[in-house]
Structures are given as C-alpha cells and as structure tokens.
Amino acid sequence: MDLKKKPTTGMRDILPQEMEVREYVLQMIRDTYRSYGFTQIETPCVEPIGNLTGGHGGENEKLIFKILKRGEKLKLAEAQEEADLVDGGLRFDLTIPLVRYYANNQDKLPSPFKAMQLGNVWRADRPQRGRFRQFMQCDIDVLGEASNIAEIELILAMTTLLGKLDFKDFTIRINDRRILKGIAKYCGFSEDRYDDVFIVLDKMDKIGADGVREELLGSGYDESSVEKCMSIFDDASSDDGESDGSAEAETGKACLVGMDRLKKIVDTVGTDLEDGVAANLIDIIEVAAGASATEFKIKFDPTLVRGMSYYTGPIFEIAMDEYGGSVGGGGRYDTMVGRFLGTETPAVGFSIGFERISMLLMERGYSLPDVPEKKAFLIDKKCSDEQIREVITKANDLRRSGVIVTVDRMKKNKKFQKDQLTLQGFSAIEEIFAD
C-alpha cells in the first residue's frame, strides 16, 4: 500500500506554534461568551442524513460528506438509490445539530437557553485561503427569546471578543430577511421563488449589479420585476455613505453606516414590508452601536442575504478588510426548531470564523500575552541517574510555581536543538553535564 504523508485535500496538519495561538483564541472565546451568560455544550460530529438534507442548509447540502451504512445494513448489491447506502453525514455547520440537541433535551434546559458550541464541521468545498474542508466553528445561539435583546447580546459578545483580540475597524453588516421578502413582493416575484432570487442577490459583491441583473434575467424572471428590483439596489447604493455620527458621538467607538439606505427602501417598498420590521432593525443597530466599547462599524446592507434558507429575520456578517471577506455571520431562525418539536421556538445565532481569525493573527506574527516563563534542561548522556533525578525534581518544583519546563537529552547538534527550543519560547536553557 502506498502510504501518503500529506493530509487529505482540504484538510491540514497544525504545527505547535499555530496550535498555541488557536488554543489562546479558543480560551478567549470561552471566557468572553461565558461573561455574556452562554453555556458550552457538545453535539456529535455525525448527524442523521435526513436532518442534514431537510432543506435547511442551502448550498451546503451539496457539500455533505455522507457516511455509508455499516455492517449488515450495507447491502451494496441490492442498493437502488442513495438512501439504500447512506444513513448519516458529517455535520456541515453547528446550527442543525444544536436544534436537534434542543429538541431532544428541552425539558432539561433553561429558557431562554444561551448555548455555546466549539467544534469541527466538514464541507466538500473547494479549498482556498482561509477555507478548508474540515474547520472549527465557534457558535453562540439564544433559543427561546423572541425579542431583539438576543440579537443585541450576540453582536455585543462578538464585537467584544474581536476587540480583545486586537481587531479594529471591522464592519458588522446587517439586514433582515423580511426586508428582502418585502422587496421581492414589491417587485412582483413569485413567493415560491423568493429564496432563488435571494441566492442571486447574495452574489452582488462578487459579480456586481450587472451580473446579478443578467443572472436573474437568464433564470427566466420577468424583466419588469428584475428592473424594479435592481432600481431599488441602485438607489440604495448611491448612499453607501458616511457614518450618521450619532453612535460615534455617544461612544467614541462604534458608528452607524447606511441608515439612509434603510429609510429609502422602507419608503419605496411601503405596505409590502411587514409592520415593525424596520423599527426592530434600527433598534438593534442603535443599541448595539451605543453599548459597545469596541471600535467597529455597523452597516445596514440590503444586499446581505446569507446562504441558509432557514433564516427568518435579522441576519448579520462580519466584514474585515484585512481578510477581504466575511469572518463570521448568523441570524434569526425562528421556524427551524418547530420542524423538530412541532411547536415554534424563537432562535438566533452568530458564528465567528475561527479559522480565518486565527490565520490573520498568525500572519500578523501575533504574540500571546501573559505567556508563562519557559525553561529547558538539556541533560548530557553521560550524566548519572542521580543527576537526572535531581534535575527532574528541580523541574517539578518549577512547574508547581507556574513555569513551563521541558527536560530533554542533549542532542549531538546542540546548537540546532537550542535554536528550536528558542523558537518554541524557551527563554532559559540550562545544560547539565556529568559531574
């Protein structure tokens, strides 16, 4: 058998230096989210295939790593269709597992339930910078809270975390799926095709307004509906503007962008927009910006769609120029829990792009704060057993005082060995020779 040293395409080995940064970021995530009242849970990496293919995951359902049935249940010769072969899949996000978890354990959980999940997910995607086929997701969700307090708390927790990690000048892009539906209704699109229209609109930042117009027309939508829709976004884009200054003046940190856009769309769409939607979104934006102590922009962006069809209300993404794209996102999904429970349960969540955040910190040469002292003992091979015992006893005393200590045999190429220890952060290296 030809054994391969490299990992499977789209997956990777993580070296110790990066692992230290990742572990630090994970600890910051845990500490920050706990301070907002979130409780950590864990769900299995494998979900029943019906949960993953139930129409909740949008384009991600095409990227599932599916798992064959096992043992006697796998009957290859008799299989007629995929369902005869597959009964599970690796999770492609943490939201569907969370909803199943909540439905299964609701009687044991508080209400509202503020959940934190940190775990790997898998997508058979095309690997690129900051995107892998196996990657860590870090989610916070609030289940059982219908008011926009949940959205505000999620945004504050997320921005607080990024501030602690020395990120500044990022943008929280925010929209509401109900505003998108109001636009679609106003333009005359068929309701059963709203999600398809939204998927095309979501490409605005990649293919531009002309590309979106061309794709909508090419998909057979009525030309008058398409032009009506595009005119709304053309008008809105003319005010991409400046901060309105109110939040900036109040906090000296966060600022608002695009509020005139929101007002123009509300005025245009009129009665096709559900009552209270715009006021709810304005409240989220203004309170989150006013309460935050982190430097960021919060921007109403009508082109923000989010790919998951399960979103029902406010949606958000974190845009960061340093990365050149999104480093997190989420939204409200009030109908999804009801598909499992049979009763509606409000829910909203936010996921940080852990892999991209960690990558950006590594590219900066990020130095971990408050790193304990590191000391190395290098023992010559001629040292006696008694000397070795003395060194190990000394090392254990130092460890009890909080010092990180490694005890190693001295290598023939001592210079290389010491250089490697220095790169690992061992600032004190003591050589032990035979008496």
Side-chain angles (χ1 to χ4, degrees), residues 32-210:
T32 303
Y33 292 169
R34 282 184 186 132
S35 75
Y36 279 83
F38 291 90
T39 304
Q40 189 166 354
I41 66 167
E42 186 169 327
T43 58
C45 64
V46 177
E47 283 289 321
I49 195 65
N51 290 0
L52 298 176
T53 57
H56 316 299
E59 293 294 299
N60 288 327
E61 293 192 9
K62 300 175 183 177
L63 307 176
I64 299 169
F65 283 96
K66 297 176 181 178
I67 299 173
L68 292 175
K69 294 179 179 180
R70 279 77 52 209
E72 294 179 355
K73 292 185 178 180
L74 180 59
K75 300 176 181 178
L76 293 173
E78 300 174 16
Q80 300 293 316
E81 54 187 24
E82 185 180 275
D84 298 326
L85 299 172
V86 172
D87 61 358
L90 296 177
R91 61 192 182 193
F92 54 73
D93 73 359
L94 296 178
T95 304
I96 291 172
L98 169 66
V99 172
R100 181 202 51 74
Y101 172 99
Y102 182 80
N104 190 43
N105 298 286
Q106 184 189 22
D107 59 331
K108 307 179 192 73
L109 299 172
S111 182
F113 178 49
K114 300 178 76 171
M116 167 178 26
Q117 277 193 97
L118 316 175
N120 280 310
V121 300
W122 292 262
R123 297 178 190 172
D125 208 346
R126 181 172 62 85
Q128 52 187 289
R129 179 175 177 260
R131 178 175 292 178
F132 309 99
R133 289 181 172 176
Q134 174 181 309
F135 57 97
M136 174 75 73
Q137 275 197 341
C138 301
D139 288 15
I140 41 176
D141 294 78
V142 183
L143 293 89
E145 177 57 72
S147 79
N148 62 20
I149 289 174
E151 281 91 342
I152 292 166
E153 284 280 275
L154 289 174
I155 292 171
L156 290 175
M158 193 68 60
T159 55
T160 299
L161 170 67
L162 291 174
K164 288 181 178 179
L165 293 171
D166 296 332
F167 287 99
K168 298 179 181 179
D169 299 326
F170 56 89
T171 300
I172 303 292
R173 300 167 61 213
I174 189 166
N175 195 10
D176 193 304
R177 293 282 285 208
R178 292 167 295 182
I179 290 176
L180 289 168
K181 287 182 178 179
I183 292 172
K185 182 179 179 182
Y186 169 79
C187 295
F189 291 109
S190 172
E191 187 173 355
D192 62 354
R193 299 199 68 184
Y194 282 179
D195 282 341
D196 296 330
V197 173
F198 298 160
I199 288 171
V200 180
L201 290 176
D202 198 31
K203 301 176 184 179
M204 188 80 73
D205 59 341
K206 297 182 180 68
I207 63 176
D210 290 341

Side-chain angles (χ1 to χ4, degrees), residues 140-388:
I140 41 176
D141 294 78
V142 183
L143 293 89
E145 177 57 72
S147 79
N148 62 20
I149 289 174
E151 281 91 342
I152 292 166
E153 284 280 275
L154 289 174
I155 292 171
L156 290 175
M158 193 68 60
T159 55
T160 299
L161 170 67
L162 291 174
K164 288 181 178 179
L165 293 171
D166 296 332
F167 287 99
K168 298 179 181 179
D169 299 326
F170 56 89
T171 300
I172 303 292
R173 300 167 61 213
I174 189 166
N175 195 10
D176 193 304
R177 293 282 285 208
R178 292 167 295 182
I179 290 176
L180 289 168
K181 287 182 178 179
I183 292 172
K185 182 179 179 182
Y186 169 79
C187 295
F189 291 109
S190 172
E191 187 173 355
D192 62 354
R193 299 199 68 184
Y194 282 179
D195 282 341
D196 296 330
V197 173
F198 298 160
I199 288 171
V200 180
L201 290 176
D202 198 31
K203 301 176 184 179
M204 188 80 73
D205 59 341
K206 297 182 180 68
I207 63 176
D210 290 341
V212 168
R213 178 184 283 104
E214 184 178 340
E215 187 164 337
L216 287 172
L217 291 172
S219 298
Y221 295 105
D222 180 74
E223 184 175 357
S224 64
S225 294
V226 172
E227 292 305 326
K228 204 172 183 181
C229 179
M230 297 312 301
S231 70
I232 290 175
F233 290 103
D234 288 342
D235 289 343
S237 65
S238 66
D239 170 48
D240 201 18
E242 301 298 324
S243 160
D244 79 355
S246 59
E248 188 172 25
E250 183 180 347
T251 68
K253 294 289 184 180
C255 62
L256 312 185
V257 177
M259 300 305 285
D260 285 345
R261 270 186 161 198
L262 177 54
K263 292 169 186 173
K264 283 182 181 180
I265 288 175
V266 171
D267 290 343
T268 301
V269 175
T271 57
D272 289 313
L273 180 62
E274 185 181 326
D275 287 344
V277 169
N280 180 69
L281 193 62
I282 290 169
D283 195 36
I284 292 170
I285 291 170
E286 291 183 344
V287 174
S292 176
T294 304
E295 202 171 310
F296 72 101
K297 294 177 182 176
I298 185 163
K299 173 183 177 181
F300 169 69
D301 186 347
T303 67
L304 177 64
V305 173
R306 301 288 296 160
M308 304 299 193
S309 61
Y310 53 64
Y311 289 124
T312 59
I315 49 178
F316 17 75
E317 280 190 357
I318 308 169
M320 196 173 287
D321 290 341
E322 191 175 349
Y323 174 68
S326 170
V327 295
R332 182 166 283 277
Y333 51 98
D334 283 347
T335 62
M336 191 172 170
V337 178
R339 298 183 185 182
F340 285 83
L341 276 179
T343 55
E344 293 300 310
T345 300
V348 59
F350 210 145
S351 179
I352 189 76
F354 172 81
E355 301 291 348
R356 295 170 183 180
I357 292 296
S358 299
M359 179 192 72
L360 291 173
L361 292 176
M362 289 295 296
E363 290 177 353
R364 289 181 184 180
Y366 187 73
S367 296
L368 301 184
D370 304 321
V371 175
E373 179 188 350
K374 286 186 170 184
K375 182 178 179 64
F377 291 99
L378 299 182
I379 303 176
D380 184 74
K381 64 180 180 179
K382 294 180 181 179
C383 288
S384 66
D385 290 345
E386 181 61 31
Q387 282 182 285
I388 294 172

